[in-house]
Amino acid sequence: MVVTVSAILALGIAFAPAALAGGGVRSEVLRMVNATRDHHDLHTLRMDRSLTGDALRHTRRMITKNAIYDPPNLTLTRILQDEPWDNVGASVVGCADTLSALHWAFMHDPPHRDILLDPRLRRIGIGVVEVDSQNACGRHSLWATELFYG
């Protein structure tokens, strides 16, 4: 099952998330994003460790609330306050059974696709968490936040 940012979820189920913040998962997400961008003749994105921490914190907040939602206005919050961004900051959030399914869903949702293929973007932060118990996205689901700036 795939849920994107347009979905509004309101289930009050308790569950225990397990962070997948390790380099392997982040690297795989970055590889998928950059392969897609390369296919569209766009430059690759570079990982930003600070932004990755912010992405992971937002993912954990979504899990706690058991709902998918965008971070607050990125330019007015701490998320991009200290980042060297020019004129664009964006987020992509969602959940799915696999990383591939998550990326597929993002690429087939026009607002997410527009963000992932924005040529102004330069950096990405990735926060992925696996939730083993029943939740709004299904048992053993991956919840993710990708934060970007350019």
Side-chain angles (χ1 to χ4, degrees):
M1 175 166 105
V2 175
V3 179
T4 61
V5 74
S6 60
I8 299 174
L9 304 170
L11 298 174
I13 302 168
F15 46 88
L20 291 176
V25 171
R26 282 192 310 266
S27 294
E28 179 62 16
V29 171
L30 182 62
R31 186 201 61 74
M32 287 187 285
V33 168
N34 280 333
T36 299
R37 289 177 62 86
D38 183 58
H39 180 74
H40 289 87
D41 296 322
L42 297 169
H43 62 82
T44 59
L45 301 177
R46 292 183 59 202
M47 185 75 68
D48 182 297
R49 290 189 188 279
S50 172
L51 206 56
T52 290
D54 290 330
L56 188 55
R57 279 187 288 283
H58 181 72
T59 299
R60 287 182 173 144
R61 280 192 296 271
M62 291 191 305
I63 292 167
T64 298
K65 293 181 180 184
N66 202 26
I68 302 294
Y69 60 94
D70 279 325
N73 185 333
L74 297 175
T75 61
L76 298 177
T77 63
R78 190 188 88 70
I79 292 175
L80 287 182
Q81 197 171 47
D82 297 322
E83 303 296 344
W85 64 284
D86 282 333
N87 59 0
V88 62
S91 66
V92 173
V93 295
C95 59
D97 295 337
T98 66
L99 292 175
S100 295
L102 187 66
H103 186 70
W104 185 93
F106 290 162
M107 289 306 297
H108 287 84
D109 180 60
H112 289 152
R113 181 183 173 88
D114 290 347
I115 290 169
L116 288 167
L117 299 179
D118 189 321
R120 300 172 295 172
L121 297 174
R122 298 283 184 251
R123 300 278 193 265
I124 185 172
I126 300 167
V128 179
V129 176
E130 180 178 11
V131 180
D132 290 331
S133 60
Q134 188 59 40
N135 63 79
C137 293
R139 192 169 192 76
H140 304 293
S141 56
L142 298 172
W143 292 58
T145 302
E146 295 174 8
L147 297 175
F148 305 86
Y149 68 84

